[in-house]
Amino acid sequence: MAFEGVQMFPSTSVSLGNEARATPLDDLENVVAMYQPRVFRFLLATLRDHDAAETLTQETFLRAWSARASFREDCSLATWLIRIALNLARDHTRTGRFRFWKRVSASAVDVAEVSAFVPTREGSAEAHLIAKQQVAGIWETVAGLSARQRSIFLLRFMEEMEIPEIATVTGLPLGTVKSHLYRALAIIRAQHDFSPHDTTTHSATTKENQ
Amino acid sequence: MTPQRTTEQLAAQAGTTACAPLGETHLTGEQFGELMGGTTETASAELAQAEAHLLVCEQCAIELASLREAISLFREASNAYADEELRSRPRWILPARRSHSQSLVPAYWVAAAAMFLTALLPLQVMRWHTLAPPAASVSSVAVSNAASDTQSDEALLEDVNSEISRSVPASMQALADPTADASTVNNETSVPTTDQRKD
């Protein structure tokens, strides 16, 4: 779904009452330039669909702009935008229509495409290949997490948010956030072998810890 | 104190048993989570125990490092992929920026001032035309023009008065006195009289 040539946002001259106060979102162009990549990344990793991610990214900024008067700056603008994006993604994935199109969508993200972007670091070609396989494996495992675990995992390890910030975004208590995060990590550890390869006893032990 | 003993002491402090080839105890999932940065209390007792365990357990240390590295690669690859995908998509079209506080309110004032001036200008021009005194160079010409106009008006009025005061207009003078000398009339008009026609 392309949006070229479509004016998505109403003119800011409309509906500005006398009581309107200046907000960071008044300068929409800068806000989009600054936060669009971040919101898009999060939605793409959450939804695994290019078109849906772009549509909801636009929707995120439209909602944010429409509700800019309610932004009290008690959290950062990035946190506020990610919270809107997360709610939109949650609503989107709840619909049966999303599940149907998820199965047949041609714009779904291919794991191989993502793993092709694994940075090349010092090491052998074999090590790079292993790293690509590892990233592809994590990408697929994250897709299999519950919606809440996936969101929290992505917010923590992709967006690099701190736990209190994640609690603000998700509206969950700190303990619940940590609990979901630990479970997500445990699942990833269980499905991938990060232990030293020369030890055989360790894997079994870590499995017991799950 | 031997190195082995130190290891045992650290393990005891960490709340785990020393790493032995068999039957060893390792970090729990929660401890891994704490070490992966999922804690808000950096000085929590659990975190301290986990860190102490890492000093004595190479397997857990390696596993934690591998997990961190894998997740770091996952983040970098996902971000690079998303950024590349975003670059390949058409840019959004946004409306021009109009800041309420900086440009919109002054625009109101500019518009109001322009309307005020537009309404005021014709009034002022009219006032100038009615009240402005003539310039010195123009005044003498205007006075002479006014004087000549007055003279011509007076002459015209005199002509009219004299015309009105006459009992018979000049063109009707011949009819005014039918008994006047006919020859005079005939000479003047060369119109034949009745007697002449008879002849």
Side-chain angles (χ1 to χ4, degrees):
Chain A
M1 230 180 286
F3 290 85
E4 193 171 24
V6 177
Q7 183 168 328
M8 306 175 333
F9 298 98
S11 168
T12 52
S13 63
V14 178
S15 76
L16 273 175
N18 290 333
E19 72 282 358
R21 61 185 175 82
T23 70
L25 276 155
D26 288 342
D27 191 357
L28 190 60
E29 196 172 349
N30 275 345
V31 170
V32 168
M34 195 175 294
Y35 296 108
Q36 184 195 12
R38 192 171 176 181
V39 173
F40 180 75
R41 278 199 306 253
F42 174 68
L43 286 169
L44 186 64
T46 302
L47 302 171
R48 314 296 175 104
D49 187 287
H50 306 112
D51 293 342
E54 182 167 19
T55 303
L56 291 195
T57 303
Q58 292 182 358
E59 186 70 16
T60 298
F61 285 97
L62 185 60
R63 293 267 181 109
W65 192 87
S66 301
R68 66 194 183 286
S70 65
F71 177 55
R72 300 293 174 204
E73 301 187 40
D74 48 358
C75 63
S76 71
L77 187 56
T79 302
W80 195 60
L81 290 169
I82 292 288
R83 185 163 61 191
I84 295 172
L86 178 63
N87 288 334
L88 286 171
R90 194 178 297 155
D91 293 344
H92 184 73
T93 50
R94 273 178 191 158
T95 63
R97 193 172 52 180
F98 168 77
R99 294 192 199 102
F100 171 77
W101 285 109
K102 182 75 181 165
R103 286 196 294 272
V104 300
S105 175
S107 64
V109 174
D110 184 3
V111 175
E113 292 177 27
V114 180
S115 59
F117 283 86
V118 171
T120 307
R121 292 180 180 165
E122 290 179 10
S124 63
E126 186 188 358
H128 185 63
L129 188 64
I130 290 170
K132 285 173 74 171
Q133 288 175 344
Q134 216 167 34
V135 167
I138 292 176
W139 180 269
E140 287 189 329
T141 304
V142 170
L145 297 174
S146 73
R148 193 162 278 180
Q149 286 173 354
R150 183 170 58 245
S151 298
I152 291 171
F153 178 85
L154 292 174
L155 290 172
R156 177 69 193 95
F157 294 114
M158 232 179 103
E159 295 302 317
E160 298 185 280
M161 284 184 173
E162 296 297 330
I163 298 291
E165 202 176 1
I166 297 172
T168 304
V169 168
T170 57
L172 295 171
L174 285 176
T176 308
V177 171
K178 288 167 75 169
S179 173
H180 283 296
L181 185 63
Y182 297 164
R183 271 185 234 150
L185 277 172
I187 290 169
I188 287 170
R189 282 178 62 217
Q191 295 193 8
H192 303 279
D193 185 16
F194 297 103
S195 59
H197 293 286
D198 56 344
T199 57
T200 53
T201 56
H202 187 262
S203 298
T205 314
T206 50
K207 297 292 180 291
E208 287 170 10
N209 286 336
Q210 306 311 315
Chain B
M1 188 182 290
T2 62
Q4 178 64 32
R5 209 163 159 191
T6 307
T7 302
E8 286 171 356
Q9 286 174 345
L10 283 169
Q13 181 193 347
T16 59
T17 58
C19 291
L22 293 171
E24 60 194 20
T25 301
H26 293 286
L27 293 176
T28 63
E30 193 170 327
Q31 286 173 318
F32 261 101
E34 298 273 349
L35 290 166
M36 288 291 291
T39 183
T40 50
E41 305 90 20
T42 51
S44 71
E46 185 137 14
L47 187 63
Q49 283 184 355
E51 285 174 344
H53 177 77
L54 286 176
L55 295 174
V56 298
C57 182
E58 191 181 3
Q59 289 181 12
C60 285
I62 291 174
E63 184 178 359
L64 181 66
S66 300
L67 183 59
R68 279 180 172 156
E69 174 69 7
I71 287 179
S72 171
L73 288 172
F74 166 78
R75 175 175 55 250
E76 289 179 42
S78 302
N79 289 352
Y81 172 72
D83 290 347
E84 181 64 25
E85 179 65 26
L86 192 61
R87 269 194 293 274
S88 69
R89 300 208 158 226
R91 290 179 64 84
W92 296 354
I93 298 171
L94 298 173
R97 181 190 173 193
R98 280 187 222 168
S99 171
H100 173 69
S101 59
Q102 290 177 2
S103 65
L104 202 59
V105 169
Y108 284 138
W109 285 108
V110 168
M115 288 175 67
F116 178 74
L117 288 175
T118 306
L120 191 66
L121 191 62
L123 293 174
Q124 191 62 32
V125 168
M126 281 177 61
R127 195 175 172 198
W128 287 337
H129 278 294
T130 55
L131 296 181
S137 59
V138 177
S139 62
S140 60
V141 178
V143 167
S144 63
N145 287 342
S148 62
D149 288 347
T150 307
Q151 286 175 357
S152 61
D153 288 347
E154 286 174 356
L156 185 63
L157 285 171
E158 280 178 11
D159 290 345
V160 170
N161 286 337
S162 61
E163 190 71 22
I164 292 171
S165 62
R166 295 169 98 176
S167 56
V168 178
S171 57
M172 302 291 286
Q173 197 63 43
L175 300 174
D177 185 11
T179 59
D181 188 6
S183 60
T184 308
V185 174
N186 288 339
N187 290 339
E188 289 177 357
T189 59
S190 70
V191 175
T193 61
T194 307
D195 298 334
Q196 288 175 332
R197 282 181 194 148
K198 283 180 181 175
D199 292 339

